[in-house]
Amino acid sequence: ETAVFQTPNYHVTQVGNEVSFNCKQTLGHDTMYWYKQDSKKLLKIMFSYNNKQLIVNETVPRRFSPQSSDKAHLNLRIKSVEPEDSAVYLCASSPLGYEQYFGPGTRLTVL
Amino acid sequence: GDQVEQSPSALSLHEGTGSALRCNFTTTMRAVQWFRKNSRGSLINLFYLASGTKENGRLKSAFDSKERYSTLHIRDAQLEDSGTYFCAAELDTNAYKVIFGKGTHLHVLP
């Protein structure tokens, strides 16, 4: 049963546009994450949030900014997308020190 | 270099046989999680271990933090086990930082 929800499922846009992806978890977890899965299918962590506090920011470009209104939501905004931003973006949540649960991902294509 | 080295990158098994996937770590990890990517591309939790072993059906996983490795054993492989398997490890120095292996593409043959 899905408990980590991501919208949209996919998004196609042009270079220079702004996009925003949403993530919501209904598990009551304190920690949420954003990952980027590149063309080689490797997942790399971008951000971790614990109770709305940014914990990890893995040297991602400044055009990426996570946004959290409460511990159940962690959105990702990309200002002025570039071609290399094309990827699948995965959201996850966990209680700290326990297993992560992943959403289905948002596939971004930048033309 | 990579902190999580997953092997093999690809594996073919005949139905009914078994094998093991492995992740070696170049630094101390506090926990490891194993996933399988399903046909829709979603990551399905298989195991989460902070130590020792866990078993679930035909799958068994082990994690040794001191020796810096984790394994996932599959026995009596079935066609539906085909897919991509990932390990993901939490750094001992920062539980919020999770590093994924590059995945193992498993193909179960009839």
Side-chain angles (χ1 to χ4, degrees):
Chain A
E1 185 180 345
T2 304
V4 181
F5 304 91
Q6 287 186 242
T7 57
N9 294 328
Y10 59 89
H11 188 77
V12 180
T13 191
Q14 293 183 319
V15 170
N17 286 348
E18 177 176 315
V19 300
S20 188
F21 304 146
N22 300 316
C23 181
K24 172 187 172 182
Q25 54 98 0
T26 58
L27 297 165
H29 293 161
D30 287 334
T31 308
M32 295 184 72
Y33 310 81
W34 275 106
Y35 290 84
K36 179 181 180 182
Q37 184 173 40
D38 60 24
S39 56
K40 296 180 182 177
K41 308 298 183 187
L42 182 63
L43 279 92
K44 289 188 177 178
I45 192 164
M46 299 175 69
F47 302 103
S48 298
Y49 253 74
N50 183 54
N51 263 326
K52 300 196 291 179
Q53 299 296 317
L54 179 64
I55 304 298
V56 171
N57 181 345
E58 284 298 304
T59 61
V60 298
R62 286 189 175 183
R63 60 183 179 277
F64 289 83
S65 59
Q67 299 167 322
S68 180
S69 56
D70 56 59
K71 72 176 188 178
H73 295 84
L74 183 64
N75 300 331
L76 181 65
R77 188 179 75 160
I78 313 173
K79 240 177 14 174
S80 189
V81 294
E82 298 187 8
E84 60 263 32
D85 298 338
S86 293
V88 176
Y89 292 86
L90 289 160
C91 174
S93 75
S94 77
L96 179 62
Y98 292 91
E99 59 188 341
Q100 295 189 36
Y101 292 82
F102 279 79
T106 294
R107 180 178 294 278
L108 172 66
T109 300
V110 180
L111 303 175
Chain B
D2 293 344
Q3 292 176 288
V4 177
E5 298 164 348
Q6 186 170 346
S7 63
S9 57
L11 177 64
S12 292
L13 291 176
H14 284 284
E15 270 188 297
T17 64
S19 188
L21 315 181
R22 186 178 178 100
C23 283
N24 290 327
F25 313 121
T26 58
T27 188
T28 303
M29 302 295 183
R30 64 180 300 277
V32 68
Q33 191 168 357
W34 284 91
F35 299 90
R36 184 174 71 86
K37 182 180 277 193
N38 69 9
S39 57
R40 290 180 295 175
S42 296
L43 289 172
I44 306 301
N45 294 337
L46 297 177
F47 295 103
Y48 179 88
L49 299 98
S51 67
T53 62
K54 286 187 178 178
E55 192 164 356
N56 184 1
R58 295 177 291 101
L59 300 178
K60 181 177 179 179
S61 183
F63 172 53
D64 190 324
S65 176
K66 186 178 177 184
E67 297 299 323
R68 299 184 178 180
Y69 76 90
S70 178
T71 56
L72 176 68
H73 291 259
I74 303 173
R75 63 176 175 83
D76 188 23
Q78 302 297 305
L79 294 177
E80 58 265 29
D81 295 332
S82 295
T84 304
Y85 292 77
F86 292 94
C87 68
E90 294 174 15
L91 280 179
D92 190 45
T93 52
N94 183 349
Y96 293 101
K97 187 169 179 179
V98 178
I99 303 172
F100 273 73
K102 292 184 177 179
T104 296
H105 302 281
L106 174 64
H107 186 198
V108 180
L109 305 166

